[in-house]
Amino acid sequence: MFKTRKVVIVGAGHVGSHVALALIQSGEADDIVLIDILKEKAAAQALDLDDCVSGALCGHDAKIRAGEYSELNDADILVMAFGRSRRPGETRLDMFDDSIKMANEVISHLKQVDFKGIMISISNPADIICEHIRRQMQWDSHRCFCTGTSLESYRLLRVLSAATGYSRKSIQAFCMGEHGNSSFVV
């Protein structure tokens, strides 16, 4: 029997919709569900992305739609992409209070479903939000991941490639620490 690879994304803004698009183009998910506090936004993004599936040059097919938290009962992956944009001069840690309020709202919904999959957190401040949700949900640490300093590492590869002329694929480099102002190059 064929098992559908289902991903639920909480947050249908720029980051959440880009994650959905990457999943469509890579063929890594068969069923993608967008959840947002603004239900109309999730529905509009899902329709745009569903149209993209029709025209995708990648040759992959996926079902994408807006949905509810009950979709998590049979999901493999939960991506946390909720949040607001940073304001000028603001750090990711400055977003803490607003992000914790949003996380607690999401947690209230998570406690009503039986999600058994893996959570990947992108919401800022990323490391803190991931750990907060994990602890509140009492999930094992092996089920909860944060993108951490991946973005800083990718930016570092871009800069090194531009400075040296070597392909990013030929360079090995990474950043450590916490995503944001406290990350550092090793």
mmCIF file of all heavy atoms in Angstrom, residues 88-132:
data_model
loop_
_atom_site.group_PDB
_atom_site.id
_atom_site.type_symbol
_atom_site.label_atom_id
_atom_site.label_comp_id
_atom_site.label_asym_id
_atom_site.label_seq_id
_atom_site.Cartn_x
_atom_site.Cartn_y
_atom_site.Cartn_z
ATOM 1 N N PRO A 88 12.297 47.241 11.542
ATOM 2 C CA PRO A 88 13.635 47.832 11.372
ATOM 3 C C PRO A 88 14.365 47.957 12.718
ATOM 4 O O PRO A 88 13.801 48.433 13.704
ATOM 5 C CB PRO A 88 13.342 49.214 10.776
ATOM 6 C CG PRO A 88 12.028 49.036 10.070
ATOM 7 C CD PRO A 88 11.251 48.054 10.914
ATOM 8 N N GLY A 89 15.608 47.496 12.742
ATOM 9 C CA GLY A 89 16.438 47.578 13.935
ATOM 10 C C GLY A 89 16.166 46.505 14.975
ATOM 11 O O GLY A 89 16.839 46.450 16.001
ATOM 12 N N GLU A 90 15.220 45.639 14.718
ATOM 13 C CA GLU A 90 14.825 44.615 15.674
ATOM 14 C C GLU A 90 15.623 43.337 15.448
ATOM 15 O O GLU A 90 15.851 42.938 14.315
ATOM 16 C CB GLU A 90 13.327 44.344 15.498
ATOM 17 C CG GLU A 90 12.698 43.460 16.526
ATOM 18 C CD GLU A 90 11.198 43.340 16.321
ATOM 19 O OE1 GLU A 90 10.742 43.162 15.167
ATOM 20 O OE2 GLU A 90 10.476 43.440 17.325
ATOM 21 N N THR A 91 16.031 42.677 16.527
ATOM 22 C CA THR A 91 16.688 41.380 16.422
ATOM 23 C C THR A 91 15.632 40.285 16.520
ATOM 24 O O THR A 91 14.487 40.545 16.909
ATOM 25 C CB THR A 91 17.728 41.173 17.544
ATOM 26 O OG1 THR A 91 17.037 41.030 18.790
ATOM 27 C CG2 THR A 91 18.724 42.325 17.602
ATOM 28 N N ARG A 92 16.032 39.058 16.239
ATOM 29 C CA ARG A 92 15.107 37.939 16.381
ATOM 30 C C ARG A 92 14.688 37.768 17.830
ATOM 31 O O ARG A 92 13.556 37.406 18.116
ATOM 32 C CB ARG A 92 15.758 36.665 15.834
ATOM 33 C CG ARG A 92 15.802 36.640 14.329
ATOM 34 C CD ARG A 92 16.649 35.501 13.792
ATOM 35 N NE ARG A 92 16.662 35.506 12.349
ATOM 36 C CZ ARG A 92 17.441 36.277 11.609
ATOM 37 N NH1 ARG A 92 18.263 37.115 12.173
ATOM 38 N NH2 ARG A 92 17.378 36.220 10.297
ATOM 39 N N LEU A 93 15.604 38.033 18.757
ATOM 40 C CA LEU A 93 15.263 37.913 20.178
ATOM 41 C C LEU A 93 14.263 38.987 20.608
ATOM 42 O O LEU A 93 13.492 38.769 21.545
ATOM 43 C CB LEU A 93 16.527 37.982 21.045
ATOM 44 C CG LEU A 93 17.416 36.748 20.983
ATOM 45 C CD1 LEU A 93 18.690 36.970 21.807
ATOM 46 C CD2 LEU A 93 16.687 35.508 21.467
ATOM 47 N N ASP A 94 14.252 40.125 19.924
ATOM 48 C CA ASP A 94 13.280 41.171 20.229
ATOM 49 C C ASP A 94 11.854 40.705 19.918
ATOM 50 O O ASP A 94 10.889 41.283 20.415
ATOM 51 C CB ASP A 94 13.574 42.449 19.433
ATOM 52 C CG ASP A 94 14.848 43.140 19.874
ATOM 53 O OD1 ASP A 94 15.235 42.989 21.054
ATOM 54 O OD2 ASP A 94 15.463 43.831 19.035
ATOM 55 N N MET A 95 11.726 39.679 19.115
ATOM 56 C CA MET A 95 10.420 39.149 18.729
ATOM 57 C C MET A 95 9.879 38.146 19.743
ATOM 58 O O MET A 95 8.772 37.642 19.594
ATOM 59 C CB MET A 95 10.532 38.469 17.359
ATOM 60 C CG MET A 95 11.032 39.391 16.271
ATOM 61 S SD MET A 95 11.439 38.524 14.758
ATOM 62 C CE MET A 95 9.812 38.080 14.191
ATOM 63 N N PHE A 96 10.655 37.876 20.783
ATOM 64 C CA PHE A 96 10.344 36.815 21.745
ATOM 65 C C PHE A 96 8.919 36.879 22.286
ATOM 66 O O PHE A 96 8.184 35.894 22.215
ATOM 67 C CB PHE A 96 11.355 36.844 22.895
ATOM 68 C CG PHE A 96 11.080 35.825 23.957
ATOM 69 C CD1 PHE A 96 11.465 34.509 23.782
ATOM 70 C CD2 PHE A 96 10.402 36.168 25.122
ATOM 71 C CE1 PHE A 96 11.201 33.553 24.746
ATOM 72 C CE2 PHE A 96 10.135 35.220 26.092
ATOM 73 C CZ PHE A 96 10.529 33.913 25.904
ATOM 74 N N ASP A 97 8.519 38.006 22.850
ATOM 75 C CA ASP A 97 7.196 38.097 23.487
ATOM 76 C C ASP A 97 6.065 37.790 22.502
ATOM 77 O O ASP A 97 5.172 36.986 22.815
ATOM 78 C CB ASP A 97 6.985 39.476 24.113
ATOM 79 C CG ASP A 97 7.864 39.708 25.332
ATOM 80 O OD1 ASP A 97 8.297 38.715 25.960
ATOM 81 O OD2 ASP A 97 8.118 40.882 25.657
ATOM 82 N N ASP A 98 6.108 38.396 21.331
ATOM 83 C CA ASP A 98 5.065 38.138 20.330
ATOM 84 C C ASP A 98 5.089 36.685 19.872
ATOM 85 O O ASP A 98 4.040 36.054 19.704
ATOM 86 C CB ASP A 98 5.228 39.062 19.122
ATOM 87 C CG ASP A 98 4.914 40.512 19.428
ATOM 88 O OD1 ASP A 98 4.210 40.780 20.435
ATOM 89 O OD2 ASP A 98 5.359 41.389 18.665
ATOM 90 N N SER A 99 6.292 36.147 19.664
ATOM 91 C CA SER A 99 6.412 34.769 19.182
ATOM 92 C C SER A 99 5.932 33.756 20.218
ATOM 93 O O SER A 99 5.301 32.760 19.857
ATOM 94 C CB SER A 99 7.857 34.477 18.791
ATOM 95 O OG SER A 99 8.228 35.272 17.686
ATOM 96 N N ILE A 100 6.215 34.004 21.487
ATOM 97 C CA ILE A 100 5.747 33.086 22.538
ATOM 98 C C ILE A 100 4.221 33.102 22.610
ATOM 99 O O ILE A 100 3.591 32.045 22.758
ATOM 100 C CB ILE A 100 6.377 33.428 23.903
ATOM 101 C CG1 ILE A 100 7.846 33.016 23.928
ATOM 102 C CG2 ILE A 100 5.616 32.776 25.053
ATOM 103 C CD1 ILE A 100 8.115 31.518 23.866
ATOM 104 N N LYS A 101 3.618 34.271 22.472
ATOM 105 C CA LYS A 101 2.140 34.351 22.463
ATOM 106 C C LYS A 101 1.578 33.528 21.304
ATOM 107 O O LYS A 101 0.613 32.780 21.477
ATOM 108 C CB LYS A 101 1.684 35.806 22.346
ATOM 109 C CG LYS A 101 1.883 36.617 23.599
ATOM 110 C CD LYS A 101 1.480 38.068 23.382
ATOM 111 C CE LYS A 101 1.928 38.905 24.570
ATOM 112 N NZ LYS A 101 1.781 40.344 24.297
ATOM 113 N N MET A 102 2.189 33.678 20.133
ATOM 114 C CA MET A 102 1.735 32.907 18.963
ATOM 115 C C MET A 102 1.972 31.417 19.172
ATOM 116 O O MET A 102 1.108 30.598 18.832
ATOM 117 C CB MET A 102 2.460 33.379 17.704
ATOM 118 C CG MET A 102 2.060 34.757 17.244
ATOM 119 S SD MET A 102 2.997 35.186 15.763
ATOM 120 C CE MET A 102 3.367 36.891 16.107
ATOM 121 N N ALA A 103 3.128 31.078 19.724
ATOM 122 C CA ALA A 103 3.436 29.663 19.974
ATOM 123 C C ALA A 103 2.431 29.054 20.941
ATOM 124 O O ALA A 103 1.968 27.924 20.735
ATOM 125 C CB ALA A 103 4.856 29.519 20.520
ATOM 126 N N ASN A 104 2.082 29.785 21.976
ATOM 127 C CA ASN A 104 1.107 29.276 22.948
ATOM 128 C C ASN A 104 -0.263 29.071 22.313
ATOM 129 O O ASN A 104 -0.972 28.114 22.649
ATOM 130 C CB ASN A 104 1.027 30.195 24.160
ATOM 131 C CG ASN A 104 2.264 30.093 25.032
ATOM 132 O OD1 ASN A 104 2.974 29.083 25.003
ATOM 133 N ND2 ASN A 104 2.548 31.135 25.782
ATOM 134 N N GLU A 105 -0.628 29.936 21.381
ATOM 135 C CA GLU A 105 -1.884 29.754 20.640
ATOM 136 C C GLU A 105 -1.819 28.474 19.808
ATOM 137 O O GLU A 105 -2.759 27.673 19.798
ATOM 138 C CB GLU A 105 -2.149 30.967 19.745
ATOM 139 C CG GLU A 105 -3.342 30.829 18.838
ATOM 140 C CD GLU A 105 -4.678 30.780 19.567
ATOM 141 O OE1 GLU A 105 -4.775 31.263 20.714
ATOM 142 O OE2 GLU A 105 -5.647 30.250 18.975
ATOM 143 N N VAL A 106 -0.705 28.254 19.131
ATOM 144 C CA VAL A 106 -0.527 27.041 18.332
ATOM 145 C C VAL A 106 -0.550 25.809 19.243
ATOM 146 O O VAL A 106 -1.190 24.801 18.928
ATOM 147 C CB VAL A 106 0.778 27.116 17.512
ATOM 148 C CG1 VAL A 106 1.106 25.774 16.873
ATOM 149 C CG2 VAL A 106 0.686 28.209 16.456
ATOM 150 N N ILE A 107 0.136 25.888 20.373
ATOM 151 C CA ILE A 107 0.188 24.765 21.322
ATOM 152 C C ILE A 107 -1.217 24.386 21.783
ATOM 153 O O ILE A 107 -1.532 23.200 21.918
ATOM 154 C CB ILE A 107 1.102 25.112 22.520
ATOM 155 C CG1 ILE A 107 2.559 25.134 22.057
ATOM 156 C CG2 ILE A 107 0.907 24.138 23.673
ATOM 157 C CD1 ILE A 107 3.520 25.796 23.036
ATOM 158 N N SER A 108 -2.083 25.381 22.006
ATOM 159 C CA SER A 108 -3.455 25.067 22.431
ATOM 160 C C SER A 108 -4.162 24.205 21.393
ATOM 161 O O SER A 108 -4.961 23.335 21.740
ATOM 162 C CB SER A 108 -4.249 26.354 22.717
ATOM 163 O OG SER A 108 -4.556 27.043 21.517
ATOM 164 N N HIS A 109 -3.851 24.396 20.122
ATOM 165 C CA HIS A 109 -4.434 23.566 19.055
ATOM 166 C C HIS A 109 -3.743 22.199 18.991
ATOM 167 O O HIS A 109 -4.403 21.183 18.756
ATOM 168 C CB HIS A 109 -4.325 24.265 17.705
ATOM 169 C CG HIS A 109 -5.127 25.513 17.602
ATOM 170 N ND1 HIS A 109 -6.504 25.510 17.488
ATOM 171 C CD2 HIS A 109 -4.754 26.814 17.614
ATOM 172 C CE1 HIS A 109 -6.939 26.749 17.420
ATOM 173 N NE2 HIS A 109 -5.895 27.567 17.501
ATOM 174 N N LEU A 110 -2.430 22.193 19.184
ATOM 175 C CA LEU A 110 -1.675 20.934 19.113
ATOM 176 C C LEU A 110 -2.116 19.952 20.197
ATOM 177 O O LEU A 110 -2.109 18.741 19.983
ATOM 178 C CB LEU A 110 -0.177 21.187 19.246
ATOM 179 C CG LEU A 110 0.492 21.961 18.114
ATOM 180 C CD1 LEU A 110 1.967 22.203 18.436
ATOM 181 C CD2 LEU A 110 0.347 21.219 16.796
ATOM 182 N N LYS A 111 -2.508 20.469 21.336
ATOM 183 C CA LYS A 111 -2.921 19.604 22.440
ATOM 184 C C LYS A 111 -4.245 18.898 22.162
ATOM 185 O O LYS A 111 -4.610 17.970 22.869
ATOM 186 C CB LYS A 111 -2.997 20.413 23.739
ATOM 187 C CG LYS A 111 -1.611 20.788 24.242
ATOM 188 C CD LYS A 111 -1.642 21.429 25.602
ATOM 189 C CE LYS A 111 -0.205 21.627 26.073
ATOM 190 N NZ LYS A 111 -0.086 22.091 27.424
ATOM 191 N N GLN A 112 -4.936 19.304 21.118
ATOM 192 C CA GLN A 112 -6.223 18.706 20.770
ATOM 193 C C GLN A 112 -6.109 17.648 19.670
ATOM 194 O O GLN A 112 -7.114 17.070 19.265
ATOM 195 C CB GLN A 112 -7.197 19.799 20.336
ATOM 196 C CG GLN A 112 -7.484 20.801 21.435
ATOM 197 C CD GLN A 112 -8.346 21.946 20.958
ATOM 198 O OE1 GLN A 112 -9.241 21.749 20.137
ATOM 199 N NE2 GLN A 112 -8.096 23.135 21.469
ATOM 200 N N VAL A 113 -4.891 17.415 19.170
ATOM 201 C CA VAL A 113 -4.705 16.428 18.103
ATOM 202 C C VAL A 113 -3.701 15.370 18.551
ATOM 203 O O VAL A 113 -3.064 15.504 19.591
ATOM 204 C CB VAL A 113 -4.231 17.099 16.787
ATOM 205 C CG1 VAL A 113 -5.280 18.063 16.266
ATOM 206 C CG2 VAL A 113 -2.893 17.795 16.960
ATOM 207 N N ASP A 114 -3.566 14.323 17.743
ATOM 208 C CA ASP A 114 -2.670 13.212 18.065
ATOM 209 C C ASP A 114 -1.543 13.149 17.030
ATOM 210 O O ASP A 114 -1.450 12.199 16.256
ATOM 211 C CB ASP A 114 -3.475 11.913 18.095
ATOM 212 C CG ASP A 114 -2.653 10.744 18.610
ATOM 213 O OD1 ASP A 114 -1.708 10.971 19.395
ATOM 214 O OD2 ASP A 114 -2.949 9.603 18.218
ATOM 215 N N PHE A 115 -0.705 14.167 17.027
ATOM 216 C CA PHE A 115 0.401 14.238 16.077
ATOM 217 C C PHE A 115 1.539 13.347 16.557
ATOM 218 O O PHE A 115 2.006 13.470 17.675
ATOM 219 C CB PHE A 115 0.880 15.689 15.936
ATOM 220 C CG PHE A 115 2.085 15.844 15.054
ATOM 221 C CD1 PHE A 115 2.033 15.495 13.714
ATOM 222 C CD2 PHE A 115 3.272 16.331 15.566
ATOM 223 C CE1 PHE A 115 3.153 15.634 12.900
ATOM 224 C CE2 PHE A 115 4.391 16.480 14.762
ATOM 225 C CZ PHE A 115 4.324 16.129 13.426
ATOM 226 N N LYS A 116 1.994 12.453 15.700
ATOM 227 C CA LYS A 116 3.050 11.508 16.061
ATOM 228 C C LYS A 116 4.313 11.689 15.219
ATOM 229 O O LYS A 116 5.255 10.921 15.341
ATOM 230 C CB LYS A 116 2.541 10.079 15.872
ATOM 231 C CG LYS A 116 1.323 9.755 16.692
ATOM 232 C CD LYS A 116 1.621 8.633 17.637
ATOM 233 C CE LYS A 116 0.394 8.149 18.379
ATOM 234 N NZ LYS A 116 0.073 8.949 19.520
ATOM 235 N N GLY A 117 4.323 12.707 14.368
ATOM 236 C CA GLY A 117 5.439 12.893 13.452
ATOM 237 C C GLY A 117 6.560 13.747 14.012
ATOM 238 O O GLY A 117 6.757 13.844 15.221
ATOM 239 N N ILE A 118 7.274 14.383 13.107
ATOM 240 C CA ILE A 118 8.435 15.213 13.417
ATOM 241 C C ILE A 118 8.083 16.676 13.206
ATOM 242 O O ILE A 118 7.455 17.028 12.208
ATOM 243 C CB ILE A 118 9.627 14.821 12.515
ATOM 244 C CG1 ILE A 118 10.081 13.405 12.853
ATOM 245 C CG2 ILE A 118 10.778 15.818 12.638
ATOM 246 C CD1 ILE A 118 11.095 12.839 11.889
ATOM 247 N N MET A 119 8.522 17.521 14.157
ATOM 248 C CA MET A 119 8.311 18.957 14.031
ATOM 249 C C MET A 119 9.619 19.624 13.619
ATOM 250 O O MET A 119 10.675 19.343 14.179
ATOM 251 C CB MET A 119 7.853 19.571 15.357
ATOM 252 C CG MET A 119 7.684 21.091 15.273
ATOM 253 S SD MET A 119 7.396 21.907 16.850
ATOM 254 C CE MET A 119 9.029 21.906 17.576
ATOM 255 N N ILE A 120 9.522 20.530 12.647
ATOM 256 C CA ILE A 120 10.645 21.376 12.244
ATOM 257 C C ILE A 120 10.209 22.815 12.478
ATOM 258 O O ILE A 120 9.186 23.251 11.953
ATOM 259 C CB ILE A 120 11.014 21.162 10.766
ATOM 260 C CG1 ILE A 120 11.372 19.692 10.516
ATOM 261 C CG2 ILE A 120 12.156 22.099 10.365
ATOM 262 C CD1 ILE A 120 11.511 19.323 9.062
ATOM 263 N N SER A 121 10.978 23.539 13.288
ATOM 264 C CA SER A 121 10.613 24.912 13.630
ATOM 265 C C SER A 121 11.482 25.914 12.893
ATOM 266 O O SER A 121 12.709 25.808 12.891
ATOM 267 C CB SER A 121 10.755 25.124 15.141
ATOM 268 O OG SER A 121 10.434 26.454 15.475
ATOM 269 N N ILE A 122 10.814 26.892 12.268
ATOM 270 C CA ILE A 122 11.483 27.985 11.583
ATOM 271 C C ILE A 122 11.135 29.314 12.258
ATOM 272 O O ILE A 122 11.807 30.308 12.075
ATOM 273 C CB ILE A 122 11.063 28.026 10.094
ATOM 274 C CG1 ILE A 122 11.338 26.700 9.404
ATOM 275 C CG2 ILE A 122 11.760 29.143 9.351
ATOM 276 C CD1 ILE A 122 10.758 26.599 8.016
ATOM 277 N N SER A 123 10.076 29.334 13.052
ATOM 278 C CA SER A 123 9.583 30.560 13.680
ATOM 279 C C SER A 123 10.640 31.182 14.591
ATOM 280 O O SER A 123 11.305 30.488 15.347
ATOM 281 C CB SER A 123 8.312 30.258 14.485
ATOM 282 O OG SER A 123 7.297 29.777 13.632
ATOM 283 N N ASN A 124 10.779 32.497 14.519
ATOM 284 C CA ASN A 124 11.800 33.214 15.288
ATOM 285 C C ASN A 124 11.316 33.644 16.672
ATOM 286 O O ASN A 124 10.157 33.973 16.818
ATOM 287 C CB ASN A 124 12.254 34.461 14.520
ATOM 288 C CG ASN A 124 13.223 34.109 13.430
ATOM 289 O OD1 ASN A 124 14.153 33.362 13.658
ATOM 290 N ND2 ASN A 124 12.996 34.641 12.245
ATOM 291 N N PRO A 125 12.173 33.671 17.672
ATOM 292 C CA PRO A 125 13.550 33.189 17.645
ATOM 293 C C PRO A 125 13.550 31.663 17.588
ATOM 294 O O PRO A 125 13.013 30.993 18.481
ATOM 295 C CB PRO A 125 14.175 33.724 18.929
ATOM 296 C CG PRO A 125 13.021 33.994 19.844
ATOM 297 C CD PRO A 125 11.831 34.262 18.977
ATOM 298 N N ALA A 126 14.103 31.122 16.518
ATOM 299 C CA ALA A 126 13.912 29.737 16.104
ATOM 300 C C ALA A 126 14.254 28.706 17.181
ATOM 301 O O ALA A 126 13.449 27.818 17.469
ATOM 302 C CB ALA A 126 14.716 29.468 14.835
ATOM 303 N N ASP A 127 15.431 28.805 17.760
ATOM 304 C CA ASP A 127 15.862 27.788 18.730
ATOM 305 C C ASP A 127 14.969 27.805 19.974
ATOM 306 O O ASP A 127 14.575 26.760 20.489
ATOM 307 C CB ASP A 127 17.325 28.024 19.126
ATOM 308 C CG ASP A 127 18.239 28.046 17.913
ATOM 309 O OD1 ASP A 127 18.611 26.951 17.453
ATOM 310 O OD2 ASP A 127 18.549 29.148 17.424
ATOM 311 N N ILE A 128 14.626 28.989 20.422
ATOM 312 C CA ILE A 128 13.811 29.141 21.631
ATOM 313 C C ILE A 128 12.388 28.636 21.396
ATOM 314 O O ILE A 128 11.826 27.915 22.222
ATOM 315 C CB ILE A 128 13.798 30.608 22.091
ATOM 316 C CG1 ILE A 128 15.207 31.041 22.495
ATOM 317 C CG2 ILE A 128 12.811 30.821 23.232
ATOM 318 C CD1 ILE A 128 15.367 32.535 22.703
ATOM 319 N N ILE A 129 11.805 28.999 20.267
ATOM 320 C CA ILE A 129 10.430 28.580 19.963
ATOM 321 C C ILE A 129 10.358 27.059 19.827
ATOM 322 O O ILE A 129 9.436 26.420 20.342
ATOM 323 C CB ILE A 129 9.907 29.284 18.691
ATOM 324 C CG1 ILE A 129 9.748 30.794 18.948
ATOM 325 C CG2 ILE A 129 8.593 28.669 18.216
ATOM 326 C CD1 ILE A 129 8.771 31.156 20.058
ATOM 327 N N CYS A 130 11.327 26.469 19.167
ATOM 328 C CA CYS A 130 11.354 25.006 19.017
ATOM 329 C C CYS A 130 11.367 24.332 20.384
ATOM 330 O O CYS A 130 10.582 23.419 20.644
ATOM 331 C CB CYS A 130 12.569 24.585 18.202
ATOM 332 S SG CYS A 130 12.677 22.809 17.894
ATOM 333 N N GLU A 131 12.247 24.776 21.253
ATOM 334 C CA GLU A 131 12.371 24.158 22.574
ATOM 335 C C GLU A 131 11.126 24.424 23.428
ATOM 336 O O GLU A 131 10.677 23.543 24.168
ATOM 337 C CB GLU A 131 13.632 24.664 23.278
ATOM 338 C CG GLU A 131 13.910 23.985 24.592
ATOM 339 C CD GLU A 131 14.172 22.479 24.486
ATOM 340 O OE1 GLU A 131 14.398 21.952 23.379
ATOM 341 O OE2 GLU A 131 14.142 21.802 25.544
ATOM 342 N N HIS A 132 10.553 25.608 23.318
ATOM 343 C CA HIS A 132 9.337 25.932 24.079
ATOM 344 C C HIS A 132 8.193 24.993 23.683
ATOM 345 O O HIS A 132 7.526 24.428 24.556
ATOM 346 C CB HIS A 132 8.946 27.398 23.847
ATOM 347 C CG HIS A 132 7.669 27.791 24.494
ATOM 348 N ND1 HIS A 132 7.530 27.917 25.866
ATOM 349 C CD2 HIS A 132 6.444 28.070 23.964
ATOM 350 C CE1 HIS A 132 6.276 28.272 26.146
ATOM 351 N NE2 HIS A 132 5.602 28.365 25.014
#
